[in-house]
Amino acid sequence: MSLVLKNVNKSFKEGDSTVNALKNVSLTVNAGDFIAIIGPSGSGKSTLLSIAGALLQPTSGDVLVNGTDIGKMKEKDLSSFRLTDVGFILQTSNLIPYLTVLDQLLLVRKMKSKVTEKDKEFAKSLLTSLGLGEKLNKFPNELSGGERQRVAIARAFVNDSHIILADEPTASLDSNRAFEVVKQIRKEVKGRNKAAVMVTHDERMLEFCDKVYRMEDGVLTLQK
């Protein structure tokens, strides 16, 4: 399983001018890779993540997931792709207040297909592996910030997605919880052999990543 961006460009119109958000970006993330992208606000990091997750189409260039060019998919197929092949972890956990921890995951499964007993057991095992086995029937307001973000991690993995995209997953956490969350993402990525990209401002988290890229003015370069 792999994510490959080849010579990707993305331009936006702003009034009479054109903003080049991504400039000839190329990136390969293989199964089991956990890479980070750092850089200042407005440098193009989130645009790259949105294109990798099929939320935006590139102006030019190719985006390949397991060899399939998602830029050539129809909208209906793209919706299915986003649900089954991509797991998103966002800055805030975005949990649904009236659903229990377990039901947060089962709702995502239900969007894909009918939920089976096997699906329920997989969701429970995911939550248990993230230290939430005792919290299955708790509601979001009964969890700490770190626990809510761990539920969001489990939700990203529950459809067994090939690609995991994390956008500032530690932004709302203190240092201890931030380290805990990134270590958990890495553990799940490695253990389940996923291709993962994390956008972050927090350079303390980079020690957990296999490679670090820097984005500046739409240009991506390998840092280590």
Side-chain angles (χ1 to χ4, degrees):
M1 306 299 176
S2 64
L3 168 68
V4 179
L5 279 69
K6 291 183 180 177
N7 304 318
V8 168
N9 292 278
K10 181 63 179 177
S11 301
F12 297 99
K13 279 284 188 187
E14 277 193 5
D16 295 330
S17 60
T18 299
V19 176
N20 298 312
L22 297 181
K23 302 171 186 172
N24 216 36
V25 167
S26 293
L27 175 69
T28 297
V29 190
N30 293 311
D33 287 349
F34 182 31
I35 75 145
I37 299 176
I38 59 174
S41 296
S43 60
K45 303 186 305 297
S46 292
T47 300
L48 186 155
L49 220 56
S50 295
I51 286 174
L55 296 171
L56 282 177
Q57 291 289 331
T59 304
S60 64
D62 300 317
V63 183
L64 308 172
V65 175
N66 301 332
T68 299
D69 188 344
I70 63 175
K72 293 183 170 65
M73 285 183 180
K74 295 177 180 173
E75 186 52 47
K76 182 183 175 186
D77 296 328
L78 279 174
S79 296
S80 174
F81 168 80
R82 285 190 289 265
L83 183 61
T84 60
D85 286 69
V86 185
F88 292 96
I89 306 168
L90 305 176
Q91 293 183 29
T92 55
S93 56
N94 288 330
L95 302 182
I96 298 169
Y98 53 83
L99 289 182
T100 65
V101 166
L102 180 58
D103 285 341
Q104 305 280 343
L105 272 63
L106 297 183
L107 177 64
V108 176
R109 283 297 302 176
K110 195 179 292 183
M111 291 167 69
K112 181 179 178 182
S113 61
K114 186 178 177 183
V115 177
T116 65
E117 204 55 45
K118 186 178 177 183
D119 293 332
K120 287 182 184 175
E121 290 309 311
F122 178 61
K124 287 178 183 177
S125 71
L126 250 181
L127 290 162
T128 300
S129 74
L130 287 161
L132 295 164
E134 310 262 310
K135 309 280 184 176
L136 301 182
N137 297 313
K138 298 290 186 183
F139 291 93
N141 67 343
E142 299 176 285
L143 305 175
S144 69
E147 286 169 342
R148 286 195 291 271
Q149 201 64 326
R150 278 187 274 151
V151 176
I153 294 169
R155 186 178 57 192
F157 283 88
V158 75
N159 277 340
D160 208 19
S161 303
H162 304 311
I163 310 297
I164 303 297
L165 302 176
D167 190 0
E168 300 283 1
T170 62
S172 59
L173 303 175
D174 62 37
S175 295
N176 288 339
R177 285 174 176 157
F179 281 118
E180 174 188 295
V181 161
V182 173
K183 281 192 283 189
Q184 291 288 358
I185 294 173
R186 177 184 171 85
K187 178 185 170 190
E188 294 298 317
V189 166
K190 297 295 181 182
R192 300 180 190 279
N193 209 31
K194 307 302 181 185
V197 180
M198 176 177 70
V199 162
T200 184
H201 276 99
D202 193 342
E203 300 203 7
R204 294 169 303 172
M205 302 301 141
L206 301 183
E207 65 179 279
F208 302 110
C209 300
D210 302 311
K211 291 180 183 176
V212 177
Y213 291 82
R214 177 171 286 277
M215 178 77 83
E216 291 210 31
D217 297 323
V219 177
L220 187 72
T221 53
L222 179 63
Q223 182 161 296
K224 74 169 187 180

